[in-house]
């Protein structure tokens, strides 16, 4: 290690102070590695932050619109109902569709907790399946009001929402112009679940 100049050295014509060579040296190992890799002119090395790749299983987004009486639409409703594993919360104005009835009964038989809210005036109408559900042991509550419980939605396992204009009747599925939106977006599912729980308590 050579002499170190402080101020002007003699080769510049000045009378600078010259310190004697020390017996030790501090070596910046990271800088030395940088010199070897990039050359001696590189005096600094920016250390990049460590990055970690985390692989997570993304939830599949469910977004679908069904229109009636379009071919295949009712089959999709039945398929979603058959997918219920834990809970099936249904709020419908009226329910007379035989295939929908069967899927609800099947869910109940395989241990799914089924709850149904419907309009009190529709319970005794011809073709209504509400008493069939009650006789099977499914919990049913009605509004007992002069106004109508006019919702038409269903929440599957607290994760999937089916909602639209469709009355769960044969005419609704095969004759009328109706719609059902299917989604698993948590903001919508949560909002409808809260509404269902509110009515369930109110109509107890």
């Amino acid at each position: 290690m050579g002499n170190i100049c402080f101020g002007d050295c003699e080769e510049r014509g000045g009378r600078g102070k010259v310190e004697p060579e020390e017996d030790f040296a501090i070596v910046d190992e990271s800088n030395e590695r940088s010199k070897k890799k990039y050359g001696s002119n590189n005096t600094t090395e920016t250390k990049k932050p460590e990055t970690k790749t985390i692989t997570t299983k993304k939830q599949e987004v469910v977004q679908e619109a069904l229109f009636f009486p379009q071919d295949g639409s009712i089959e999709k409703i039945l398929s979603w109902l058959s997918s219920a594993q834990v809970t099936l919360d249904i709020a419908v104005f009226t329910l007379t569709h035989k295939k929908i009835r069967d899927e609800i009964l099947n869910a109940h038989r395989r241990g799914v907790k089924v709850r149904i809210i419907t309009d009190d005036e529709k319970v005794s109408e011809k073709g209504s399946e509400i008493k069939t559900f009650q006789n099977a042991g499914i919990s049913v509550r009605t509004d007992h009001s002069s106004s109508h419980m006019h919702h038409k939605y269903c929440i599957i396992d607290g994760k999937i929402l089916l909602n639209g204009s469709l009355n769960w009747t044969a005419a609704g599925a095969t004759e009328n112009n109706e719609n059902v939106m299917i989604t698993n977006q948590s903001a919508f599912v949560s909002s409808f679940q809260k509404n269902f729980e509110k009515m369930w308590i109110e109509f107890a």
Side-chain angles (χ1 to χ4, degrees):
M1 182 174 183
N3 292 331
I4 303 174
C5 283
F6 294 89
D8 293 326
C9 293
E10 290 183 354
E11 60 265 33
R12 293 185 181 177
R15 298 179 59 86
K17 181 179 179 182
V18 178
E19 295 288 343
E21 183 174 350
E22 298 289 339
D23 293 331
F24 64 92
I26 300 174
V27 179
D28 186 344
E29 293 181 357
S30 63
N31 195 35
E32 290 298 315
R33 288 196 300 270
S34 177
K35 289 180 180 179
K36 290 179 181 179
K37 187 173 182 180
Y38 301 104
S40 60
N41 290 332
N42 190 326
T43 58
T44 59
E45 179 182 4
T46 303
K47 185 177 181 181
K48 295 182 180 179
E50 292 184 4
T51 58
K52 293 182 180 180
T53 302
I54 301 174
T55 303
T56 58
K57 185 177 180 181
K58 292 183 178 180
Q59 181 183 20
E60 181 181 355
V61 176
V62 177
Q63 294 182 134
E64 188 173 11
L66 304 179
F67 298 96
F68 298 81
Q70 185 172 302
D71 290 344
S73 289
I74 192 61
E75 282 72 21
K76 290 184 178 181
I77 297 291
L78 298 175
S79 178
W80 278 111
L81 292 175
S82 69
S83 73
Q85 298 178 351
V86 182
T87 59
L88 190 56
D89 292 331
I90 300 168
V92 290
F93 176 58
T94 183
L95 200 162
T96 63
H97 198 289
K98 305 302 181 185
K99 290 184 177 179
I100 292 179
R101 173 203 64 191
D102 291 344
E103 287 300 341
I104 294 172
L105 289 173
N106 287 339
H108 174 66
R109 292 184 188 117
R110 65 176 179 268
V112 176
K113 181 181 179 181
V114 180
R115 297 185 295 175
I116 299 174
I117 297 175
T118 191
D119 188 80
D120 60 338
E121 295 181 15
K122 294 297 180 180
V123 173
S124 301
E125 281 195 354
K126 183 178 179 180
S128 173
E129 298 293 348
I130 297 302
K131 290 184 178 179
T132 302
F133 297 138
Q134 290 175 318
N135 292 335
I138 293 175
S139 297
V140 176
R141 294 185 182 179
T142 61
D143 58 336
H144 300 297
S145 171
S146 58
S147 57
H148 290 303
M149 200 303 300
H150 209 244
H151 288 301
K152 297 110 178 180
Y153 70 79
C154 170
I155 305 164
I156 301 170
D157 294 335
K159 299 177 181 178
I160 302 291
L161 170 68
L162 283 67
N163 177 56
S165 66
L166 177 72
N167 279 315
W168 290 19
T169 65
T174 61
E175 298 175 18
N176 301 339
N177 290 301
E178 307 282 2
N179 70 82
V180 172
M181 177 197 72
I182 305 171
T183 181
N184 66 346
Q185 292 190 33
S186 60
F188 292 112
V189 177
S190 176
S191 181
F192 275 80
Q193 189 70 66
K194 288 178 181 178
N195 175 257
F196 186 92
E197 300 299 343
K198 177 178 176 294
M199 290 192 298
W200 191 254
I201 294 172
E202 181 182 347
F203 300 151

